[in-house]
Amino acid sequence: MALGRRRLLIGFAGAGGLAMAGCAGEPTPPKPATIRFDPPPGAHDVDARSPGTVTVTDGTLRSVEWIDETGRSLPGAPAPDHRTWTSAEPLGYGHTYTARAVAQGEAGDVTGTATCTTVRPQQLIDVSLRSANLVELAENDTYGVGFVLVAQFDEPVDRAAAERHLKVTTQPAVTGAWYWLDDHNAHWRPERYHAPGTRITIEADLFGVALGEGRYGLRNQRVSVIIGPAHVAIADDDTKQIEVYDNGNLVRTMPTSMGKGGTSVVGGRYLSFWTRPGIYTVLDQNDPVIMDSATYGLPTNSGGYRTSINHAVRISHDGIFVHELASTMWAQGNTNVSHGCLNISPNDAAWFYDFVIPGDVVEVRNTGGDPLDIWQNGDWSVPWSDWLRGGTPA
């Protein structure tokens, strides 16, 4: 019996030993590398802002080619671990790409290919970033505290889509809003005049953005401007004086003669001879400027004029200036005799011309006629509550 028991135990031990040896001997198969493209193969109307990317699982990239329809290679670079590759520029508009990547894994090299097409706009739209004088902004330009930002699109746009990609930041921070005059033009300002020294940065990130009816943004733009000293001139028809303030300090008082008032219809065109009440800003300066009343419908044979004027500061788009006129010095400070401009003496005009910059404020108070309209350069004349209603909801 003892011998039989020993043989049985050896038999069990031997069987167990053979079983364990069999499990340990099965090799683990090598994992093949997997390649993923983004945009995925066969994608159409891909966002022009998207980069091209290649990602590898269980391996590393050996090479990547991303070629457009012209044979141009899209530039790009792999990550340090060679598990991803990203293009150095967006895919852009209207391209057909063929991508090829080779990756190395435990199972050896694998190759992947893909094709995709990007969105093809019916039309590309650009925007000009300007001040109220319609001159394009340049980096670090200086403007007065009444600066208004103008975004002027060269074609009609979806206002909400465009506004989402127009970003204005200020240092120090203030709240501002856009007011759309029409589908081409949007103006931005805060509730109150800017603080001197404020830096305003405008970013129009419109490249790749759908702006309605098959139109897309042409490019991205960014520009910063600076607000200078607080120059505010207050022209009061009750006193017929212009008080000029520099950072809150009264620095000059200038007698003036403003619009004589009344209206007329000439050649079927309605004309007003008031200096409209409201808040203007300086648009530009000319020394001299040729003033021709025929440009707004009043020919010389109907009481108009064409003459050269020195030291003229333009404050409206329809031809209102603060300018010198020696021939009306008798009226300056007591009687309004102009067609709408603010006449001042040659000495005062030369000083004012040198003092102001675009964006400085000229407030006209207590005159007759209709209030200044926004199209005339009356952005600051629009009450803040109305300005907010003129913007596009988010």
Side-chain angles (χ1 to χ4, degrees), residues 203-252:
E203 296 173 271
D205 293 330
L206 296 174
F207 175 77
V209 175
L211 297 174
E213 299 183 2
R215 301 183 178 104
Y216 284 77
L218 174 65
R219 58 175 173 152
N220 295 333
Q221 298 181 67
R222 183 184 186 278
V223 64
S224 294
V225 298
I226 300 167
I227 300 301
H231 293 168
V232 177
I234 299 175
D236 191 337
D237 198 24
D238 285 349
T239 63
K240 294 181 175 52
Q241 304 288 325
I242 303 175
E243 294 183 336
V244 184
Y245 294 84
D246 183 1
N247 290 321
N249 300 309
L250 179 64
V251 293
R252 198 174 185 98

Side-chain angles (χ1 to χ4, degrees), residues 193 233-235 275-281 315 361-368 370-373 377-382:
Y193 301 146
I234 299 175
T275 304
R276 290 192 177 197
I279 301 173
Y280 300 72
T281 59
I315 61 173
V361 174
V362 179
E363 298 183 12
V364 175
R365 301 177 178 177
N366 300 315
T367 58
D370 296 329
L372 183 67
D373 205 335
N377 188 32
D379 295 84
W380 291 99
S381 294
V382 178

Side-chain angles (χ1 to χ4, degrees), residues 293-313:
S293 63
T295 60
Y296 64 86
L298 185 64
T300 54
N301 61 5
S302 297
Y305 52 85
R306 178 179 170 82
T307 184
S308 178
I309 298 293
N310 296 327
H311 297 120
V313 175

Side-chain angles (χ1 to χ4, degrees), residues 58-106:
D58 298 323
T60 56
L61 284 166
R62 295 188 62 185
S63 65
V64 174
E65 291 181 328
W66 204 295
I67 310 295
D68 72 11
E69 70 284 353
T70 69
R72 175 182 178 268
S73 294
L74 191 68
D81 62 4
H82 285 260
R83 294 184 183 274
T84 59
W85 178 95
T86 305
S87 66
E89 61 187 46
L91 296 176
Y93 291 121
H95 290 299
T96 298
Y97 286 103
T98 300
R100 181 179 184 274
V102 178
Q104 184 179 48
E106 294 178 359

Side-chain angles (χ1 to χ4, degrees), residues 6-302:
R6 186 175 64 182
R7 287 176 176 169
L8 182 62
L9 291 172
I10 291 173
F12 278 117
L18 288 172
M20 288 188 290
C23 289
E26 293 178 2
T28 301
K31 290 183 178 180
T34 303
I35 300 173
R36 187 179 78 249
F37 295 90
D38 190 17
H44 296 283
D45 292 330
V46 173
D47 188 335
R49 296 170 296 175
S50 300
T53 63
V54 182
T55 304
V56 176
T57 304
D58 298 323
T60 56
L61 284 166
R62 295 188 62 185
S63 65
V64 174
E65 291 181 328
W66 204 295
I67 310 295
D68 72 11
E69 70 284 353
T70 69
R72 175 182 178 268
S73 294
L74 191 68
D81 62 4
H82 285 260
R83 294 184 183 274
T84 59
W85 178 95
T86 305
S87 66
E89 61 187 46
L91 296 176
Y93 291 121
H95 290 299
T96 298
Y97 286 103
T98 300
R100 181 179 184 274
V102 178
Q104 184 179 48
E106 294 178 359
D109 288 354
V110 296
T111 299
T113 60
T115 61
C116 69
T117 60
T118 59
V119 67
R120 186 179 298 276
Q122 294 182 20
Q123 189 175 21
L124 291 176
I125 295 179
D126 201 9
V127 63
S128 295
L129 302 177
R130 303 175 173 181
S131 68
N133 61 9
L134 303 184
V135 173
E136 293 214 21
L137 305 180
E139 189 68 17
N140 292 325
D141 275 350
T142 299
Y143 289 92
V145 296
F147 169 78
V148 173
L149 168 62
V150 174
Q152 188 171 67
F153 294 86
D154 52 18
E155 294 290 340
V157 295
D158 180 309
R159 299 182 187 188
E163 189 171 317
R164 282 194 294 270
H165 295 274
L166 295 174
K167 181 182 178 182
V168 182
T169 55
T170 65
Q171 297 174 319
V174 296
T175 299
W178 290 96
Y179 186 101
W180 288 82
L181 281 68
D182 51 39
D183 290 343
H184 289 261
N185 298 280
H187 292 191
W188 183 95
R189 69 164 175 89
E191 182 177 4
R192 298 177 180 86
Y193 301 146
H194 303 281
T198 298
R199 176 172 287 275
I200 303 170
T201 301
I202 305 98
E203 296 173 271
D205 293 330
L206 296 174
F207 175 77
V209 175
L211 297 174
E213 299 183 2
R215 301 183 178 104
Y216 284 77
L218 174 65
R219 58 175 173 152
N220 295 333
Q221 298 181 67
R222 183 184 186 278
V223 64
S224 294
V225 298
I226 300 167
I227 300 301
H231 293 168
V232 177
I234 299 175
D236 191 337
D237 198 24
D238 285 349
T239 63
K240 294 181 175 52
Q241 304 288 325
I242 303 175
E243 294 183 336
V244 184
Y245 294 84
D246 183 1
N247 290 321
N249 300 309
L250 179 64
V251 293
R252 198 174 185 98
T253 300
M254 307 182 299
T256 186
S257 177
M258 291 188 270
K260 61 186 177 182
T263 61
S264 180
V265 176
V266 179
R269 186 170 181 176
Y270 174 84
L271 302 177
S272 171
F273 302 114
W274 295 100
T275 304
R276 290 192 177 197
I279 301 173
Y280 300 72
T281 59
V282 171
L283 297 176
D284 54 40
Q285 299 136 278
N286 295 276
D287 183 28
V289 64
I290 300 299
M291 291 193 177
D292 185 353
S293 63
T295 60
Y296 64 86
L298 185 64
T300 54
N301 61 5
S302 297

